Amino acid sequence: MRVPPNVSAAAYAQALAEFAQAIGGEWVFTSDADLDLYRDAFSPFLNEPEERIASGALAPLSTEQVQQIVRIANKYRIPLYPISTGRNLGYGGSAPAYSGSVVLDLKRMNRILEVAPDEMLARAQTGVTTQALNNAAAAHGLFYPPDPGSQTVSTIGGNVATCAGGLRGLKYGVTRNYVLGLTVALATGEIIRTGGRLWKDVAGYDLTRLITGSEGTLGVITEVTVALLPDPSTSRTGLAYFDTLAQAGRAVAGILAAGVIPATLEFLDRKCMDAVEQYAHLGLHSDAGALLLFGDDGDEVAVARSFERIAAACADSGAITVQTAGDATESEALLTARRCTLPALSRLGSLTILEDASVPRPRLAEMVARIDAIAAQHQVTMATFGHAGDGNLHPTCVLESAEDTEGIARAERAFADVFGTAIELGGTITGEHGVGAAKLPYLGQRLGTEQMALLRRIKTAFDPAGILNPGKLGS
Ligand SMILES: Cc1cc2nc3c(=O)[nH]c(=O)nc-3n(C[C@H](O)[C@H](O)[C@H](O)COP(=O)(O)OP(=O)(O)OC[C@H]3O[C@@H](n4cnc5c(N)ncnc54)[C@H](O)[C@@H]3O)c2cc1C
């Protein structure tokens, strides 16, 4: 039996017996074969990856079962790592980042509880996938706007815990803009229901927002109530090629100045375009320095008007060419260029490290140029793509070999400079993926001493024994 750190074998055996009583013995896992499934995705920035195996895993079915688990864990001081599908990209963000933890696997809690069209909201257990939630909303002519690239597999609880963004962030915002209420099991065993069904409610501190994006360190989310919007009748996509990313940046400014807030405004640098072309053979322009993918939705006339203005702004900024999709099939084809960027880059080497930083929108082109200079200085290959509309970039380092420890160390130094540069330009170390364990050392640079101290006091107020996701935010 693997035993969590700082817990005696006898106490752990007693806790396992109590967990089994609470949720049924068949949902308590302790064999190496079962626990191997919960290994954290390999993070080159964390030490001893081979030792990152849990002591146990628990798979509850209801809020009440989660409550019982947390009470037992708190009594025996057992570290609990909630995990939904482990699709997060904050390295070390999913359990078990540290050996000896107990995984709280929330995938079985996957029921959609309600769609209320008259209130334009839906209620779901934490383990419902974002796509399933959206499908349920679509049956009522509604939609849930946040669209992380992982939406077919990642869960609404995981999205809330990381405050996931997505391609529609500029126009529609991110997860936090849609969370109306949460049911949360606190580390001390109480169940709280924050917010609720109301679109307006300012009674007390906004705990819903505090817990959204807290990466599983303040409580275990068991149910989520989200706001929905009417499904737009038309959506269209287009793309523009530019010689330089600076021109693409000017086009973004021009589009917004023309009064258009596109639903999608994404960019790829030349290295990403090459990778995508090699991978998907989409016929992307072979000489352009940057690609801007744009899209909008709404009623047909409004979308047509947006597209005219977007095309004009791109042309005014020196676009080589602007291409718009004629129908939904063509739109999907254009979107593929952006959606397949990560798999395309992954094919270039055997280790791909995708990162996440944000800068104020007007500094985007400057940031990409600085990233290129940093990559050259540290002798690593880095390609950058991201959300041009909200200044959120994903510099991605590709290494030929996952065993290249010197290359990994160079990549780590390069990313440290990338985060430092983002902060220098008025930005942040993560726009949407979260801090996880690997970026915790950089958080102080972003927040400063006073906020870091406040974060720790908040963590202690919610989780005095420090049993939820130790080693992450608030540690
Ligand atoms: C291909 C791909 C594309 C992606 N695209 C995007 C994108 O466009 N935008 C974006 O923002 N992200 C993106 N991501 C990241 C990922 O989609 C999000 O981080 C997602 O929200 C993770 O959901 P999950 O269910 O897998 O959560 P997990 O990875 O299981 O958990 C994430 C974190 O939340 C905690 N947690 C999970 N569930 C709960 C709960 N119920 N209560 C408390 N804590 C909990 C965990 O402890 C962990 O710290 C992408 C990931 C992939 C693999």
Side-chain angles (χ1 to χ4, degrees):
M1 180 176 71
R2 294 173 185 275
V3 180
N6 308 320
V7 180
S8 73
Y12 187 51
Q14 179 59 32
L16 286 177
E18 292 182 28
F19 287 140
Q21 204 170 13
I23 64 172
E26 69 273 37
W27 301 111
V28 177
F29 306 100
T30 53
S31 76
D32 278 7
D34 285 329
L35 298 178
D36 212 36
L37 298 174
Y38 295 105
R39 272 184 200 271
D40 194 2
F42 170 63
S43 166
F45 298 155
L46 292 173
N47 295 325
E48 301 165 355
E50 72 288 351
E51 285 181 16
R52 265 182 274 130
I53 186 157
S55 295
L58 311 167
L61 194 58
S62 64
T63 298
E64 292 67 33
Q65 288 192 355
V66 173
Q67 178 178 37
Q68 291 187 61
I69 288 170
V70 175
R71 277 192 179 141
I72 298 162
N74 196 43
K75 182 164 75 174
Y76 294 103
R77 301 293 189 257
I78 290 171
L80 275 184
Y81 285 80
I83 184 167
S84 294
T85 62
R87 289 308 202 284
N88 74 83
L89 295 170
Y91 288 110
S94 56
Y98 303 97
S99 52
S101 54
V102 171
V103 175
L104 186 53
D105 179 342
L106 298 157
K107 277 192 288 297
R108 288 177 71 219
M109 297 179 60
N110 61 0
R111 279 187 305 127
I112 291 174
L113 303 170
E114 176 187 7
V115 178
D118 49 342
E119 292 175 275
M120 298 219 298
L121 60 81
R123 225 159 42 82
Q125 282 189 304
T126 178
V128 168
T129 65
T130 323
Q131 183 73 63
L133 185 68
N134 233 328
N135 293 345
H140 297 272
L142 297 166
F143 90 123
Y144 172 70
D147 61 340
S150 56
Q151 60 180 317
T152 52
V153 282
S154 64
T155 65
I156 188 64
N159 289 179
V160 172
T162 56
C163 190
L167 266 59
R168 292 196 280 242
L170 175 65
K171 181 169 177 176
Y172 290 106
V174 297
T175 302
R176 77 160 65 84
N177 303 108
Y178 296 87
V179 184
L180 294 175
L182 297 173
T183 302
V184 179
L186 296 180
T188 37
E190 303 91 337
I191 299 293
I192 58 166
R193 292 188 169 79
T194 72
R197 309 173 74 91
L198 303 172
W199 286 55
K200 289 177 84 174
D201 181 1
V202 292
Y205 294 138
D206 193 343
L207 297 179
T208 309
R209 279 217 167 193
L210 179 59
I211 292 167
T212 303
S214 65
E215 298 183 31
T217 58
L218 299 184
V220 182
I221 300 159
T222 61
E223 286 177 22
V224 179
T225 305
V226 292
L228 304 172
L229 295 182
D231 209 350
S233 56
T234 307
S235 96
R236 264 178 90 184
T237 308
L239 53 85
Y241 295 99
F242 297 88
D243 287 324
T244 65
L245 206 80
Q247 288 174 321
R250 279 199 291 279
V252 170
I255 292 166
L256 298 175
V260 182
I261 309 245
T264 305
L265 204 45
E266 302 286 306
F267 77 94
L268 268 64
D269 72 3
R270 181 69 245 171
K271 284 176 236 152
C272 291
M273 287 165 67
D274 285 340
V276 167
E277 195 49 37
Q278 274 174 38
Y279 176 74
H281 311 294
L282 298 173
L284 300 183
H285 201 293
S286 54
D287 295 325
L291 176 158
L292 194 64
L293 178 83
F294 51 86
D296 204 5
D297 56 14
D299 77 70
E300 208 175 329
V301 176
V303 172
R305 201 169 47 230
S306 292
F307 264 57
E308 274 169 26
R309 291 180 187 172
I310 292 171
C314 289
D316 288 351
S317 308
I320 303 169
T321 168
V322 181
Q323 187 184 332
T324 54
D327 56 28
T329 317
E330 274 180 46
S331 282
E332 270 310 304
L334 296 186
L335 277 169
T336 308
R338 170 62 177 84
R339 288 208 178 115
C340 75
T341 309
L342 183 54
L345 289 171
S346 303
R347 294 244 305 214
L348 299 181
S350 53
L351 177 63
T352 313
I353 308 166
L354 171 81
E355 263 306 347
D356 173 43
S358 273
V359 291
R361 197 183 298 123
R363 313 294 298 263
L364 190 85
E366 182 183 354
M367 182 69 194
V368 176
R370 298 273 295 266
I371 289 171
D372 287 345
I374 289 167
Q377 185 196 337
H378 293 280
Q379 297 170 355
V380 291
T381 303
M382 244 188 231
T384 305
F385 63 99
H387 314 285
D390 49 31
N392 185 197
L393 330 93
H394 297 308
T396 303
C397 189
V398 183
L399 291 163
E400 274 176 24
S401 161
E403 315 302 322
D404 177 7
T405 47
E406 176 45 35
I408 291 171
R410 284 201 309 276
E412 185 170 10
R413 289 194 290 273
F415 279 127
D417 285 354
V418 168
F419 302 141
T421 305
I423 292 171
E424 183 196 320
L425 298 183
T428 185
I429 61 169
T430 173
E432 58 178 11
H433 292 167
V435 176
K439 271 206 256 191
L440 204 52
Y442 305 103
L443 189 60
Q445 274 181 60
R446 168 70 179 117
L447 298 185
T449 317
E450 291 81 5
Q451 276 198 69
M452 285 297 284
L454 180 58
L455 233 70
R456 291 192 187 104
R457 292 203 297 276
I458 292 171
K459 167 71 175 169
T460 306
F462 273 80
D463 178 13
I467 60 161
L468 283 181
N469 265 344
K472 302 188 184 163
L473 283 180
S475 298

